[in-house]
Amino acid sequence: MTAHTFRGKVVEIPSGIDELTPEQYVFYLHLTAWLRARAVTPRMWLRRWAACLAGLGEVNPDLLREEFREQFEEIEAAVERAFLIRNDAGEPMPETTSCRNLLPFYKGFKGPGDWLDGMTFGSFTKCAALIEQARTAIDSDAADIYAEIAREIYAIPEGERVPQVLVWHAPALFVAVSRAIQSEPVDINGKPVDFGIIFRPAPVADRRPDDNTGWAGVAFEVAASGIFGNMRELENAPLWDVLLYLYKCKFEYLHEKSKKK
């Protein structure tokens, strides 16, 4: 949080998406959807979001007294630095990447904890496959796929409507955690663990022919070990337990390879 003086009071402005309350985050998602639909411009998005965080509500910042307008402009600049990033085309877009589950509960549905804590391995692999499908799908089909990801992550029963907020939020949470697992060490009980070694390809000389089964092939191998039981029991096993097992196997393999050199 950063402190700013505004209209005679000290206003705490979040330094990034991770510091938002669930209520703020829901409004943030709506604003971002409007921007992506081009219903608002990046400038309008920034002004509405800064006004929300400053506690202005529906008050038009342009109608403030001059000294308060100057204070608001400082807040607006801080909000821009904290929340807007540039996409591949160089356009300003809101940051939506967070490994925190900013909506652990929504409309009676319960999601996983931060870093997908509490998610099963089966749900993770299903969502990973759905994300791959969404990458090549047309917009209308992708929306249905994102809804299915939200249904899986929040255990929404078949036949119940998936809230639109979760359609926006759940895939973003999943992608953020999935990318982080592959690209940066994760703190496990105070120790950094580089799960990225699970995903990095082995040297060419050590590679087996790719059977193109992806996570399904990994699941078959882990189930064959019996450490988590049969395939059904493996799918219901906690995600992080399985990832730690895969990390242990890969770490021991790499260690043995280095000893033989």
Side-chain angles (χ1 to χ4, degrees):
M1 295 283 187
T2 58
H4 300 264
T5 300
F6 183 54
R7 297 199 293 179
K9 297 179 181 178
V10 174
V11 178
E12 296 283 344
I13 300 297
S15 299
I17 188 173
D18 283 351
E19 296 183 354
L20 297 180
T21 66
E23 293 76 17
Q24 289 172 332
Y25 179 61
V26 168
F27 184 58
Y28 185 79
L29 288 175
H30 279 286
L31 270 181
T32 300
W34 298 341
L35 177 59
R36 287 175 173 162
R38 301 189 183 279
V40 298
T41 65
R43 176 63 180 160
M44 292 166 63
W45 181 94
L46 176 59
R47 177 145 287 211
R48 288 290 301 276
W49 182 229
C52 169
L53 295 180
L56 275 179
E58 296 300 319
V59 176
N60 185 344
D62 292 331
L63 300 179
L64 295 170
R65 285 166 31 192
E66 183 176 356
E67 64 176 300
F68 295 155
R69 284 204 305 272
E70 291 175 355
Q71 292 172 350
F72 180 77
E73 287 170 2
E74 291 180 5
I75 290 175
E76 200 173 37
V79 170
E80 181 175 11
R81 289 192 298 271
F83 290 95
L84 284 181
I85 57 175
R86 298 279 171 176
N87 62 16
D88 293 340
E91 301 167 326
M93 288 297 294
E95 172 66 80
T96 56
T97 301
S98 176
C99 292
R100 277 197 60 210
N101 187 358
L102 298 165
L103 283 179
F105 300 93
Y106 188 74
K107 301 289 187 181
F109 300 117
K110 181 180 183 296
D114 298 342
W115 288 85
L116 299 177
D117 186 36
M119 193 177 197
T120 66
F121 181 68
S123 288
F124 179 83
T125 56
K126 179 178 179 179
C127 288
L130 288 169
I131 287 291
E132 287 302 314
Q133 291 177 31
R135 288 196 174 108
T136 57
I138 62 175
D139 288 348
S140 58
D141 290 341
D144 290 339
I145 294 170
Y146 293 147
E148 189 60 29
I149 292 171
R151 186 181 300 281
E152 183 70 24
I153 291 178
Y154 277 80
I156 301 173
E158 290 293 334
E160 286 203 43
R161 188 183 71 83
V162 179
Q164 184 61 49
V165 165
L166 294 183
V167 176
W168 295 328
H169 164 66
L173 172 64
F174 182 86
V175 169
V177 174
S178 182
R179 286 177 177 170
I181 289 172
Q182 298 180 53
S183 62
E184 62 188 62
V186 178
D187 186 280
I188 302 292
N189 297 325
K191 295 183 178 179
V193 178
D194 181 12
F195 288 99
I197 64 173
I198 299 171
F199 305 91
R200 292 179 201 129
V204 175
D206 299 333
R207 289 182 199 170
R208 293 176 296 176
D210 190 352
D211 59 8
N212 296 312
T213 57
W215 278 110
V218 172
F220 291 143
E221 288 196 28
V222 176
S225 74
I227 192 166
F228 294 100
N230 59 30
M231 182 64 78
R232 183 182 296 274
E233 292 168 322
L234 170 63
E235 289 180 346
N236 291 323
L239 166 64
W240 287 98
D241 288 0
V242 179
L243 288 180
L244 281 168
Y245 171 74
L246 292 173
Y247 170 81
K248 174 179 175 292
C249 292
K250 189 66 174 283
F251 180 85
E252 290 176 349
Y253 168 77
L254 294 173
H255 185 65
E256 285 301 314
K257 292 292 293 184
S258 64
K259 284 172 60 177
K260 291 176 181 178
K261 289 182 180 178

